[in-house]
Amino acid sequence: MKYIQKLLFISLLLFITTNVFAQEPTETASALESTTEEIVATAQDIITSDVATNEEYVEEDIQFGESIKKFLKRSGIAQLGDHWKSIIMILISFLLFYLAIKKGYEPLLLLPIAFGMLLTNLPGAEMYHSEYFAEGHVHWDCFRNGAGLLDFLYLGVKLGIYPCLIFMGVGAMTDFGPLLANPKSLLLGAAAQLGIFVTYFCSIAMGFLPNEAASIAIIGGADGPTAIFLTSRLAPELLGPIAVAAYSYMALVPVIQPPIMRLLTTKKERKIQMVQLRSVSKTEKIIFPVMVTVVVSLLLPDATPLIGCLMFGNLLRECGVTDRLSKTVQNELMNITIIFLGTTVGATATADAFLNLQTLGILAVGIVAFALGSAGGVLLAKFMNLFLKNKINPLIGSAGVSAVPMAARVSQTVGQEENPRNFLLMHAMGPNVAGVIGSAVAAGIMLSMMGS
């Protein structure tokens, strides 16, 4: 339409010019002819320019259409069809969101894990690449090809940084006074590690390799950071399922433990009231972390990273001259580490690593390990009562798993159901903190036996 309008305008201009100057002399006619030629040439240039411009517009339209097609093809929605397993993992992350937010099951860790699981399973996001950490090694050359954010954050897990920082925070928040006031509770914490070693042999019988069996068995300690620390070294390909299982069972302590405790004890035993604990001096509390670090490290060097950080955090708490450092470790450092640890552990729960029969086996064996750990402490307490004048309430034995302080609270709750005047919390904290030490020692034993 634009071309037709311009041609009509030029034709009209030529017509008027020709008629006006038709009667002029020859010079005028010659000038008119020159002017006419210029007008025609100008018209041809305009038409040629418009044609070229139209071709550019057409080419731009074609390129724009191809860009739209490319955009739609690269969108996550278009890729969902080829990643149906990812849809299942996204739904599982939604379930974890529900458990963390609505039910309040370990939200500080379960929520970051769930979000990391969501991020890693969104098609096309490319935030985590499991192949960069294949065969238990960090392939540094791959990071030059465009690593995602979670790839870099996962280095803290792979290099054993986050679990140790978590242990430092746990140490700074833990009072070892109940353990020092009643050293017998250390035995209860050790007995609760029964689930770890029994489950190891069960996993071997199920066909798991020794390093995989050790990583699965540590779930019985109900200690998420220890499970991550050990698995990242022995069986990194199982880190996602094991971490999710460990923290899920920790969150379900109030659901799993009470039936086991009631099954293994009588009503009379659950009513036992324990004598008040003695007062522990500040000197004892300062010497304890230093001596534990020295003794455990000399006997079991592989446990030093966890035990050392745990006791260092506790020393910051008890020495009385590093309040600022203690508060930083308990709050800012602990919170930042939990965020990084949770999201990166959740990122390892990819569809290929999670949706298989092996994962179902890990979840099944993990619950057995946790149940045996809870039962081991209760049974040892019953056995010790055969020889003790001042009886131990067997319920505190279940707190030997290292879910601090949740397991101790469960002992208190179940005890008060039978005897409202029974206050077991401080007594249960002894085996509870002993369980933290016990799980770290168990991990050190596994590493010394199977680590490279």
Side-chain angles (χ1 to χ4, degrees):
M1 180 62 70
K2 291 181 180 178
Y3 305 142
I4 295 174
Q5 291 175 350
K6 291 179 180 179
L7 287 173
L8 288 175
F9 174 76
I10 294 170
S11 299
L12 180 62
L13 181 64
L14 289 174
F15 175 77
I16 293 172
T17 305
T18 303
N19 282 279
V20 170
F21 296 100
Q23 307 300 325
E24 293 294 326
T26 306
E27 292 81 2
T28 303
S30 177
L32 176 63
E33 182 178 356
S34 175
T35 303
T36 302
E37 290 176 354
E38 291 177 0
I39 293 173
V40 171
T42 303
Q44 291 177 346
D45 292 339
I46 292 173
I47 293 173
T48 302
S49 175
D50 287 341
V51 171
T53 302
N54 183 61
E55 290 177 351
E56 291 178 0
Y57 286 152
V58 172
E59 184 177 355
E60 288 179 0
D61 289 341
I62 294 174
Q63 292 178 351
F64 180 73
E66 291 177 351
S67 298
I68 292 296
K69 291 179 181 179
K70 186 177 180 180
F71 168 76
L72 294 175
K73 186 176 180 181
R74 288 179 58 85
S75 69
I77 298 175
Q79 298 180 49
L80 280 176
D82 299 328
H83 298 81
W84 62 269
K85 289 184 178 181
S86 295
I87 299 177
I88 298 177
M89 293 303 301
I90 291 173
L91 294 177
I92 293 176
S93 72
F94 291 165
L95 174 62
L96 296 181
F97 285 142
Y98 173 78
L99 295 176
I101 299 172
K102 182 67 176 178
K103 297 297 184 180
Y105 291 161
E106 286 290 327
L108 294 182
L109 273 167
L110 207 57
L111 187 63
I113 288 175
F115 206 85
M117 185 184 298
L118 174 65
L119 290 176
T120 197
N121 286 286
L122 289 173
E126 300 293 330
M127 297 189 70
Y128 173 76
H129 303 80
S130 57
E131 60 272 18
Y132 290 7
F133 308 95
E135 299 177 357
H137 303 289
V138 179
H139 298 277
W140 298 103
D141 293 340
C142 296
F143 281 77
R144 302 174 183 173
N145 301 328
L149 172 64
L150 295 180
D151 290 320
F152 289 103
L153 294 182
Y154 181 68
L155 291 173
V157 175
K158 188 62 184 174
L159 301 177
I161 298 173
Y162 298 152
C164 292
L165 293 181
I166 291 289
F167 257 62
M168 190 184 300
V170 170
M173 293 187 292
T174 301
D175 180 9
F176 285 102
L179 175 61
L180 294 173
N182 186 14
K184 293 189 293 293
S185 58
L186 184 63
L187 299 176
L188 299 178
Q193 311 311 313
L194 172 69
I196 295 177
F197 297 100
V198 173
T199 306
Y200 170 77
F201 294 106
C202 291
S203 300
I204 292 291
M206 291 176 62
F208 287 100
L209 297 175
N211 60 318
E212 296 173 338
S215 300
I216 296 169
I218 206 68
I219 296 174
D223 190 340
T226 301
I228 293 171
F229 181 82
L230 183 65
T231 305
S232 63
R233 282 162 170 70
L234 296 183
E237 68 280 2
L238 301 180
L239 182 59
I242 288 176
V244 171
Y247 281 112
S248 298
Y249 295 145
M250 284 176 63
L252 293 173
V253 164
V255 177
I256 298 173
Q257 283 196 330
I260 299 173
M261 297 160 70
R262 296 189 187 99
L263 178 65
L264 298 177
T265 58
T266 65
K267 190 170 184 177
K268 181 180 179 181
E269 288 174 327
R270 293 194 293 272
K271 287 184 176 181
I272 295 176
Q273 289 184 260
M274 299 180 64
V275 298
Q276 186 175 358
L277 296 174
R278 71 174 180 85
S279 178
V280 178
S281 68
K282 183 177 180 179
T283 303
E284 290 179 275
K285 291 184 176 182
I286 293 175
I287 294 176
F288 178 75
V290 177
M291 293 305 299
V292 170
T293 302
V294 172
V295 173
V296 174
S297 299
L298 291 177
L299 294 176
L300 203 61
D302 289 300
T304 302
L306 293 178
I307 290 294
C309 288
L310 177 70
M311 295 303 161
F312 176 56
N314 185 252
L315 184 61
L316 292 176
R317 169 195 174 96
E318 302 295 351
C319 68
V321 294
T322 55
D323 289 342
R324 287 174 53 190
L325 298 182
S326 178
K327 291 177 180 178
T328 300
V329 172
Q330 293 180 46
N331 297 287
E332 291 83 0
L333 181 61
M334 185 76 160
N335 293 333
I336 292 171
T337 306
I338 286 175
I339 293 171
F340 289 169
L341 176 67
T343 51
T344 51
V345 166
T348 62
T350 59
D352 293 335
F354 206 89
L355 296 179
N356 51 59
L357 292 177
Q358 187 181 57
T359 299
L360 295 178
I362 291 172
L363 295 175
V365 174
I367 189 64
V368 173
F370 185 76
L372 288 175
S374 301
V378 174
L379 293 176
L380 180 62
K382 289 169 66 73
F383 178 75
M384 290 171 65
N385 279 341
L386 298 176
F387 309 97
L388 294 176
K389 180 179 179 181
N390 294 323
K391 304 298 182 184
I392 297 174
N393 190 315
L395 295 178
I396 71 170
S398 64
V401 296
S402 58
V404 180
M406 189 178 298
R409 290 173 182 164
V410 172
S411 299
Q412 165 78 5
T413 302
V414 177
Q416 286 201 324
E417 289 176 358
E418 303 294 344
N419 182 359
R421 294 178 298 175
N422 209 357
F423 298 96
L424 300 176
L425 182 60
M426 292 307 296
H427 298 283
M429 282 302 298
N432 205 185
V433 296
V436 178
I437 300 174
S439 63
V441 170
I445 294 173
M446 297 291 187
L447 277 174
S448 63
M449 292 172 58
M450 282 159 283
S452 56

